[in-house]
Amino acid sequence: MAYAVLKVISCIFLLIIVWPLESAYNFSGINLPLEHLPFFFKNFPEAAEACRKNALCPFKMHLDKDVCWGYEDHCPIGGMASYSKPSCPGDPKGWVQTKQAQIATFFSQGDFGYIKDKLHGMQMMCEPTFREDSSLECSKHLHFCRARNIMINFTDLAHRPEMFRYKMDVLKEGQIGGYCRLHKERLLNEADQLSPLQSWGPEFKNFVNLPKRPIENGDCTIIIDRPTYIMKIDAAVNMYHHFCDFLNLYASLHMNASSGFGDGSSFWSQDTLMLIWETHPYQSAFQEAFSAFTYHPVLNLRNFEGQVACFRNVIFPLLPRMIFGLYYNTPLIWGCHKSGLFHAFSKHMLHRLGIVRTPARRREGKIRVTLMSRDTPYRRILNEEELIAGLEENPDYSVRRVVYNRFMSFSRQMEITHNSDIFIGIHGAGLTHLLFLPDWGVVFELYNCEDESCYLDLARLRGIKYLTWENKSLLYQQDQGHHPEGGAHAKFTNYAFDVAEFLRIVDIGAQYVLSQRSFKNYKSEHDEL
C-alpha cells in the first residue's frame, strides 16, 4: 500500500508541465509571512525577475529591498538590512571582553550566525561530474547533509519485525550510496559524533560509491521525485523536545535555501515528503505543526520496507540533540536576547498554521492574561482558584484559565497563546508555547522547580520578557518531591503561592507590556472608534 501511494506521488510529480517563465511561476505557492517576502525575493533573483515581469504578481511591493537574514556573507550582525538584531544590554559574566564579542557570540550560538557557521563548514563528500550524477554535501560532524540521486536500500527492514527508534544500525555498509567521486576519508573524519540524535554519522559511515547511476541503471524499486526530508525526532509527546525538531527543521530550510539557486519555489515548498527515521507510525499531539512544512502525511521507515529507494533530492536536517545544538544543548551567553532565527521561526509557524491575532477592545488598556493549568499529578498549583480570583479583581486584566491537553487541538492552543500578553505556568513543557507569544509578550514561569535556565533561555532566544518566582519563603511546597528513581526532587510535587506576591509579579509583566512600542502600535491599530 505504501509503495502504491509513493508511486502515485512520483507519477503526479512527473506530470508537471513546464510553461514559459512569465506564466510558469506559481506565485500563490509562495506561502510565507508578508514580512519574510522581501528576504525571499532578495535571495532568489529569478523569482524576483519573474514577479517583476508578470503583471499579475501580487508581491511587487516586496521586491528590490536591501535586506538579508543574517547568514549571508554580506550581512553585518545587527545591521539595518539584517533580520537579526540581537540585543545584549546585560553583563556577559566573563565570557568575553567586549560588547561586540558578546553580540557575536550570541549570534553564532542561537541566531542566524549558527546557520552561517554551519554553511561555512559544508564540504562535498561525494562529488558529481555531470548533473545526472549523485552528490552528497555535509556540514561539520555530519549535522546536516543534502544529497541528489542517491540510493538507500531498505530491504533488510522486512526482516526486522520489531518496532524501533533511536537505532544506529538501520543501514549496513553499501546500503546507502551514489554514483559520484567519494571522499571516504573526509566523510569518516566527520563521522565523529556517533549518537542517534546527534549526527548523521551512523548512517553516512556506510556510504559507498556505486558503479553506475542507480536511477538510470534501474537499481531502484521506487524513485522519489519530491524533495524529501529524512528526520530523526526527539520525544514527540513532549512539546519542548518536539519543537526542538521543528526549530531545527526550519533552520534546515534556510541551510538548504542559502545558495539562492533557481527560483526558490522548491526550497520553501510544502509539497515535500517527511520521513521519520524509525518504524513507529508518527503520532503526536503536536502533529499539526508538520503542516507548516508538508501537505502530505508523515512517513516512517515501514513505508519503505523491502524497497531499494532512490531519492532525487533529499535533505538530512539538523538534529535535536547535537553537541552545542539548537536549542536543547545551546550554551547561551549571558546578557543577550532576541534571536532573529527564533523570531522568524515563530512567524513562519503562525503563518503556515493560519494562526491570527484576534482584535479585542483595547481602549481600556486591558492586558490579556492566560494561566495554563496542569492536569498532571505533579507541579499543580494548589491555590489556583485564589490566584485567578486575585487577577480577576484587577479591571485592567482580561483573564483566561486554560488546560492544554489532547482534548484541545494544537492550533487552538497556539491561537490562545498568540492572543495572550502575559502567559503564566509552572515549569513544564507547555511553557514552550512562549515561542508563539506576540513580540511584546511576557512569560511568567510561576516557579522554575530548580531548573533555572530552561525557559529563561528559550524566552531570551524568542526575545520576550521572562519572569519567575523570586522569594521562596512565599511559596508552599506540598512535600519534598519523590523522583521515580528515588530521592527528593522539586519537579515531583505541587505548590501553592502567596497571592499578593503573585499579583506583584504579574503587575511587573503588565507594566512591561504597556511600555512596549509594538504593543502600543497594535493597541492603536485595533482601538474601537
Side-chain angles (χ1 to χ4, degrees):
M1 181 64 181
Y3 171 77
V5 171
L6 289 171
K7 198 66 177 176
V8 169
I9 290 172
S10 299
C11 291
I12 292 174
F13 183 86
L14 292 171
L15 287 174
I16 293 176
I17 299 173
V18 178
W19 297 95
L21 181 62
E22 183 171 343
S23 59
Y25 202 94
N26 179 19
F27 295 108
S28 64
I30 304 177
N31 188 14
L32 294 172
L34 290 178
E35 62 196 283
H36 293 179
L37 290 173
F39 300 84
F40 171 81
F41 285 112
K42 180 68 173 181
N43 282 352
F44 292 98
E46 283 190 25
E49 187 63 16
C51 181
R52 196 173 288 111
K53 291 181 177 179
N54 191 320
L56 299 179
C57 176
F59 303 126
K60 293 185 184 294
M61 72 289 293
H62 301 292
L63 302 179
D64 305 316
K65 305 292 186 182
D66 184 18
V67 294
C68 52
W69 289 109
Y71 50 76
E72 303 90 340
D73 287 336
H74 64 276
C75 193
I77 300 174
M80 289 295 294
S82 177
Y83 190 97
S84 290
K85 293 180 173 61
S87 176
C88 295
D91 185 352
K93 295 190 178 180
W95 281 43
V96 293
Q97 299 301 313
T98 67
K99 184 60 65 176
Q100 184 178 6
Q102 184 185 10
I103 294 172
T105 300
F106 177 81
F107 184 66
S108 64
Q109 287 175 334
D111 205 333
F112 279 117
Y114 186 91
I115 292 176
K116 185 173 186 176
D117 292 344
K118 292 292 183 189
L119 289 171
H120 284 175
M122 293 288 286
Q123 299 181 83
M124 270 293 178
M125 300 299 179
C126 204
E127 203 164 350
T129 302
F130 300 100
R131 181 177 176 81
E132 298 79 13
D133 293 350
S134 307
S135 67
L136 175 64
E137 186 181 14
C138 297
S139 68
K140 296 290 291 181
H141 310 297
L142 308 185
H143 286 166
F144 169 92
C145 296
R146 55 188 169 198
R148 292 180 61 82
N149 302 326
I150 67 164
M151 175 276 299
I152 305 180
N153 187 335
F154 294 107
T155 54
D156 281 358
L157 288 180
H159 310 294
R160 293 184 67 168
E162 82 278 12
M163 306 294 280
F164 64 80
R165 58 168 54 101
Y166 310 140
K167 293 293 185 180
M168 297 193 292
D169 62 348
V170 176
L171 301 177
K172 298 186 181 73
E173 177 80 18
Q175 290 188 326
I176 182 170
Y179 181 76
C180 42
R181 184 161 62 92
L182 178 62
H183 302 284
K184 188 70 173 183
E185 184 177 357
R186 181 187 300 171
L187 180 61
L188 293 178
N189 284 341
E190 296 301 334
D192 59 345
Q193 295 179 4
L194 297 178
S195 182
L197 298 180
Q198 285 186 356
S199 85
W200 293 99
E203 291 69 43
F204 282 117
K205 66 184 178 63
N206 299 303
F207 196 94
V208 297
N209 181 18
L210 301 175
K212 296 181 179 179
R213 298 185 182 107
I215 297 176
E216 293 184 4
N217 197 48
D219 297 331
C220 321
T221 59
I222 183 171
I223 300 170
I224 311 302
D225 294 296
R226 273 192 173 83
T228 302
Y229 288 80
I230 298 179
M231 298 179 65
K232 298 178 186 177
I233 63 173
D234 208 328
V237 299
N238 180 293
M239 187 179 178
Y240 180 83
H241 289 286
H242 201 14
F243 265 76
C244 198
D245 300 317
F246 293 120
L247 185 279
N248 279 285
L249 179 57
Y250 178 71
S252 298
L253 298 185
H254 281 278
M255 291 276 293
N256 195 39
S258 61
S259 66
F261 177 77
D263 62 17
S265 57
S266 64
F267 294 110
W268 293 100
S269 172
Q270 287 159 277
D271 190 13
T272 59
L273 298 181
M274 298 288 162
L275 169 61
I276 307 299
W277 198 255
E278 59 187 53
T279 56
H280 291 268
Y282 173 73
Q283 292 180 326
S284 174
F286 314 107
Q287 64 186 27
E288 285 181 84
F290 262 116
S291 64
F293 302 97
T294 180
Y295 296 132
H296 305 289
V298 176
L299 306 173
N300 67 80
L301 291 176
R302 288 293 178 212
N303 293 102
F304 292 91
E305 182 178 300
Q307 304 290 338
V308 178
C310 290
F311 298 85
R312 293 195 188 275
N313 189 346
V314 59
I315 298 92
F316 300 83
L318 298 166
L319 301 108
R321 299 210 180 196
M322 298 175 295
I323 296 174
F324 302 139
L326 294 170
Y327 49 79
Y328 184 75
N329 287 315
T330 302
L332 200 61
I333 192 170
W334 288 99
C336 298
H337 69 285
K338 199 172 159 186
S339 161
L341 171 59
F342 279 73
H343 184 275
F345 169 69
S346 177
K347 300 302 181 185
H348 185 84
M349 295 296 296
L350 291 166
H351 173 80
R352 287 275 176 99
L353 270 63
I355 308 300
V356 297
R357 190 173 296 123
T358 56
R361 295 183 178 182
R362 294 284 193 173
R363 174 167 292 179
E364 302 85 0
K366 285 188 178 293
I367 304 294
R368 294 174 176 176
V369 180
T370 300
L371 189 145
M372 181 177 58
S373 179
R374 290 174 64 90
D375 59 354
T376 55
Y378 303 113
R379 279 169 279 151
R380 287 182 290 110
I381 304 169
L382 297 173
N383 63 332
E384 187 170 276
E385 296 301 328
E386 282 188 274
L387 301 186
I388 291 174
L391 290 172
E392 289 178 337
E393 288 180 4
N394 191 325
D396 295 329
Y397 296 161
S398 173
V399 182
R400 183 197 296 264
R401 174 188 174 274
V402 296
V403 178
Y404 287 168
N405 57 24
R406 67 183 186 279
F407 300 112
M408 182 186 294
S409 71
F410 181 64
S411 58
R412 176 57 178 155
Q413 294 177 30
M414 287 183 66
E415 181 184 16
I416 292 171
T417 302
H418 189 53
N419 282 282
S420 303
D421 302 316
I422 301 175
F423 189 75
I424 305 171
I426 202 166
H427 182 87
L431 285 178
T432 309
H433 270 278
L434 67 85
L435 291 170
F436 306 109
L437 286 170
D439 292 344
W440 59 77
V442 175
V443 61
F444 177 9
E445 184 176 18
L446 195 49
Y447 182 47
N448 59 38
C449 299
E450 300 177 8
D451 188 349
E452 297 179 358
S453 298
C454 183
Y455 296 104
L456 166 61
D457 283 351
L458 199 59
R460 289 204 288 138
L461 287 164
R462 173 60 185 88
I464 62 169
K465 179 73 171 178
Y466 173 87
L467 299 170
T468 192
W469 202 262
E470 299 168 356
N471 188 344
K472 284 191 177 182
S473 69
L474 296 177
L475 66 79
Y476 163 76
Q477 185 169 323
Q478 190 174 39
D479 55 37
Q480 65 177 356
H482 303 283
H483 193 281
E485 297 179 5
H489 202 294
K491 293 183 183 179
F492 293 89
T493 187
N494 302 305
Y495 295 88
F497 300 87
D498 180 84
V499 176
E501 177 67 3
F502 169 76
L503 295 176
R504 183 189 71 83
I505 298 174
V506 174
D507 184 64
I508 292 173
Q511 295 308 311
Y512 174 85
V513 170
L514 293 171
S515 71
Q516 295 304 293
R517 180 180 300 175
S518 54
F519 176 77
K520 293 176 181 177
N521 291 342
Y522 174 77
K523 179 179 178 295
S524 175
E525 291 169 5
H526 294 89
D527 273 348
E528 291 188 340
L529 297 176

